[in-house]
Amino acid sequence: MRPPIRRRYAAVAGLFAALSCTLLVAGCGGSSRAATDSEVYLEPAAARGPDPYTASTVRNEIGPAPSDPSGVPSSPAGGQTLRTLSGSTPGLYGGTQSLGSCDVEQQVNLLVADQAKERAFSRAAGVSQTEVPDYLRGLTPVVLRADTRVTSHGFRDGTATTYQSVLQAGTAVLVDQYGTPRVRCACGNPLKPPVAVKGAVVHNGQSWAGYQSDRVVVIKPTTQVINNFVIVNIVTNTWIDRQAGTDGELDKRPDVLPPVTPDDVFVYPPVMPEPGDSGVPSDGSLTPTTPEQPVNPPVEPPAEPPLDTPSEALPPPVNPDVPSDEGVTPSQPDLLIPNEEPASPDTFQG
């Protein structure tokens, strides 16, 4: 039986893998074909996808049914500028109260039972083979709430394949202590942040109802360890505080609720402040902070002003109960805005 709180594991940062020279077509065990440097593979939430490592370990499959793939579009030359969101963003992920989206112990058992797969997985994940069980137990099971671009790794002929992928909203994943998806539970494939494609993006695989290539997001790892994820209850559309490295057995209502509703997280124009800039620290703990209030000391009049000099009007007294507007305007989160040039661009191109 899985322990209540899994040991957090500090994942070793690895270099982005190069694109693989081959990729399987949609479905389980399709025929192989040559991949291109501009290809992005679409993976519906419930599909195992190409080159699966293991059987599915998803506990509660969600997500809309896929649509006819014939209408999958290609992007303009040069790829797309995709919106990036911090891995600590409240509501970026979802889940079910007190239930992890993936069976992590089953995932461990499936991998360690096949030494070749475990070895390939460890290389793709950037950990040693002996560390794979603890690495998996240190991840947090959640589901994606937006279509998300990643680098995915499959397993074929004893080695790991690599390809760019878009995972459908509703996909069950395991995320690390920096908020980055690391395993896709429907197939056991290790995940990494995406890399840009060359030229016009060519979509392959199976599309789904509501898919729009310009609404895909990229998840940016935090620089600080996340102790608690604030996720959305996919059943009641309320907030859940999930401790990192647990299956949901310690889920509770957040002590401090985010300043938006769960439906506002992906709305444009944005309504959510950037984590770390508005009382929402990057560790996801949502500890409120109070902005410093600029206080102007009162100017005392001279004890005996000259008779021929009019007294200067005193400034209005400072009311400590009324917050100042100075310095407390929340910054905007990173967005996919093709026609805007932000002062400090933080988007993914391609």
Side-chain angles (χ1 to χ4, degrees), residues 61-81:
E61 298 198 13
I62 60 174
S67 63
D68 186 344
S70 59
V72 176
S74 293
S75 300
Q80 291 179 297
T81 302

Side-chain angles (χ1 to χ4, degrees), residues 202-348:
V202 177
H203 290 97
N204 286 295
Q206 191 173 19
S207 184
W208 47 85
Y211 171 73
Q212 298 181 52
S213 60
D214 60 350
R215 299 297 297 273
V216 174
V217 304
V218 171
I219 297 175
K220 177 178 62 177
T222 63
T223 56
Q224 295 180 343
V225 171
I226 300 172
N227 297 316
N228 296 76
F229 291 91
V230 179
I231 66 176
V232 175
N233 189 324
I234 59 176
V235 177
T236 62
N237 202 41
T238 56
W239 295 106
I240 296 174
D241 181 302
R242 175 164 294 176
Q243 186 171 325
T246 69
D247 271 333
E249 66 277 1
L250 300 180
D251 284 356
K252 63 177 184 177
R253 183 177 184 271
D255 294 331
V256 179
L257 296 177
V260 295
T261 67
D263 293 335
D264 289 334
V265 176
F266 302 104
V267 170
Y268 178 78
V271 294
M272 172 172 285
E274 171 77 2
D277 292 339
S278 59
V280 183
S282 59
D283 65 357
S285 60
L286 293 177
T287 302
T289 59
T290 303
E292 296 181 359
Q293 303 296 329
V295 178
N296 298 322
V299 179
E300 298 183 359
E304 295 181 358
L307 296 177
D308 56 349
T309 303
S311 299
E312 295 182 358
L314 296 179
V318 176
N319 185 348
D321 295 328
V322 179
S324 167
D325 291 333
E326 182 180 349
V328 296
T329 302
S331 61
Q332 304 297 335
D334 307 326
L335 294 172
L336 161 60
I337 309 297
N339 297 324
E340 287 189 7
E341 291 293 335
S344 300
D346 195 2
T347 53
F348 176 84

Side-chain angles (χ1 to χ4, degrees), residues 124-149:
V127 299
S128 69
Q129 186 171 348
T130 58
E131 294 172 322
V132 167
D134 284 338
Y135 169 75
L136 289 171
R137 293 184 179 114
L139 303 177
T140 306
V142 291
V143 295
L144 301 174
R145 294 191 66 233
D147 297 343
T148 303
R149 175 78 172 272

